[in-house]
């Protein structure tokens, strides 16, 4: 792999806008939002395209307990199942989601937690705290389990299913929820401070890795919200991250050379960098 600075190594370059990284079955799975494709990356650097989305933009990903993937599509507000090389409708959220849906996670019990922005992209100036978390149960039941969020983005769930953390992009913080037995959420607190937090993941020390879009950095915060580590990608927007590899000690860092203005013009160049870290991944993703 080619060194990228700060100890990072380039694993894949040349995409448009990579999102939703998930480590599964020895490969990194992710989407290219602008190219509208589902991809995976192997340990040797081999990149495979698995599916294309002709009518919507894919974003969040999740892995069901049976190993099949769920792909979120933003504007038609759907969850699609990818199994045996085919896409099929898993859940239609158009009646419950107010506005665009963005990121998601599937926990170890097969429950899908989906971030609803509460408005349609591009974001209006007066959007406020209108974001929600929508729960989709394995039997298809849907309900809103959290609201009052300021642009909910990356979502992560602890290994014991007791904790859910969501990045509030407009709130410039993380929201920490207690997960109830029925999948409901109770807000415990907000913690941390960073600009435009995007994708997140948890490690075994209960710390959170955060992709800070506007700080061009991947930041590790401990349970109290104190910064413990920072990996900078100068000139590139930090989009999402996940801990994977054989021992889940490889941090995959997805970034793009772009800006909000360039994104509206569909101008972006994506890259995946990797770096080895001390604390292994835990939970979902």
């Amino acid at each position: 792999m080619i060194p990228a600075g700060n100890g990072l190594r380039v694993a894949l370059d040349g995409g448009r806008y990579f999102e939703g990284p998930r480590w599964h079955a020895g490969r990194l799975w992710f989407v290219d939002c602008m190219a509208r494709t589902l991809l995976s990356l192997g340990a040797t650097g081999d990149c495979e395209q698995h599916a294309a989305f002709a009518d919507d933009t894919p974003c969040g990903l999740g892995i069901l307990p049976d190993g099949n993937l769920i792909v979120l599509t933003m504007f038609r507000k759907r969850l699609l199942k990818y199994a045996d090389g085919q896409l099929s409708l898993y859940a239609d959220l158009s009646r419950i989601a107010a506005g665009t849906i963005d990121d998601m996670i599937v926990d170890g019990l097969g429950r899908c937690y989906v971030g609803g922005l509460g408005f349609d992209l591009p974001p209006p100036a007066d959007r406020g705290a209108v974001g929600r978390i929508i729960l989709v149960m394995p039997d298809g039941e849907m309900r809103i389990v959290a609201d009052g969020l300021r642009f909910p983005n990356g979502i992560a769930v602890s290994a014991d299913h007791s904790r859910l953390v969501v990045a509030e992009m407009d709130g410039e913080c993380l929201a920490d929820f207690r997960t109830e037995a029925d999948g409901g959420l109770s807000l415990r607190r907000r913690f941390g401070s960073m600009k435009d937090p995007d994708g997140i993941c948890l490690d075994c020390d209960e710390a959170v890795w955060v992709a800070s879009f506007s700080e061009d950095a991947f930041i590790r915060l401990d349970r109290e919200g104190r910064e413990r580590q920072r990996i900078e990608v100068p000139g590139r927007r930090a989009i999402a991250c996940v801990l994977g590899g054989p021992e889940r000690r490889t941090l995959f860092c997805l970034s793009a050379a772009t800006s909000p203005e360039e994104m509206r013009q569909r101008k972006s160049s994506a890259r995946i960098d990797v770096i080895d870290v001390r604390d292994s991944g835990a939970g979902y993703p």
Side-chain angles (χ1 to χ4, degrees), residues 16-242:
R16 297 189 64 192
Y17 197 88
F18 297 148
E19 254 285 15
R22 307 290 184 253
W23 181 257
H24 172 61
R27 298 180 70 85
L28 180 74
W29 293 76
F30 57 101
V31 297
D32 190 324
C33 299
M34 290 190 181
R36 294 185 171 183
T37 52
L38 172 66
L39 308 163
S40 72
L41 181 67
T44 61
D46 58 301
C47 185
E48 182 177 351
Q49 178 177 316
H50 299 276
F53 302 80
D55 60 353
D56 204 357
T57 300
C59 190
L61 285 183
I63 313 296
L64 292 170
D66 64 7
N68 289 320
L69 274 72
I70 298 295
V71 186
L72 175 153
T73 65
M74 300 176 71
F75 301 101
R76 297 188 69 183
K77 307 171 190 176
R78 299 177 303 177
L79 304 184
L80 302 179
K81 183 167 74 171
Y82 177 75
D84 301 321
Q86 300 294 322
L87 291 168
S88 62
L89 181 65
Y90 184 77
D92 183 345
L93 279 63
S94 60
R95 293 187 178 182
I96 193 171
T100 304
I101 59 176
D102 187 31
D103 212 338
M104 69 167 294
I105 196 64
V106 179
D107 71 11
L109 303 176
R111 302 178 299 197
C112 303
Y113 290 93
V114 179
L117 302 185
F119 52 80
D120 293 322
L121 290 176
D126 58 348
R127 49 193 179 267
V130 294
R132 297 170 166 179
I133 301 293
I134 302 165
L135 171 64
V136 181
M137 296 291 283
D139 64 3
E141 177 200 352
M142 304 178 199
R143 69 183 196 272
I144 296 165
V145 289
D147 58 17
L149 297 167
R150 297 183 62 84
F151 202 130
N153 211 313
I155 306 172
V157 175
S158 64
D160 65 359
H161 303 102
S162 68
R163 181 189 186 202
L164 181 144
V165 180
V166 57
E168 291 189 79
M169 201 165 196
D170 285 352
E172 301 191 338
C173 66
L174 304 176
D176 193 340
F177 290 88
R178 179 174 56 253
T179 307
E180 310 296 347
D182 65 354
L185 300 177
S186 300
L187 181 64
R188 285 191 283 221
R189 61 180 181 140
R190 288 178 165 88
F191 71 106
S193 178
M194 72 294 296
K195 294 180 180 178
D196 296 324
D198 200 331
I200 64 173
C201 64
L202 303 175
D203 71 22
C204 62
D205 197 37
E206 299 187 324
V208 187
W209 279 100
V210 184
S212 177
F213 186 91
S214 295
E215 294 186 43
D216 299 0
F218 297 89
I219 305 167
R220 182 175 181 263
L221 301 177
D222 67 17
R223 189 68 185 259
E224 303 307 317
R226 295 171 296 205
E227 183 175 323
R228 295 302 189 185
Q229 191 172 349
R230 175 178 289 254
I231 300 169
E232 296 184 341
V233 283
R236 304 187 64 82
R237 309 292 82 78
I239 297 169
C241 53
V242 73

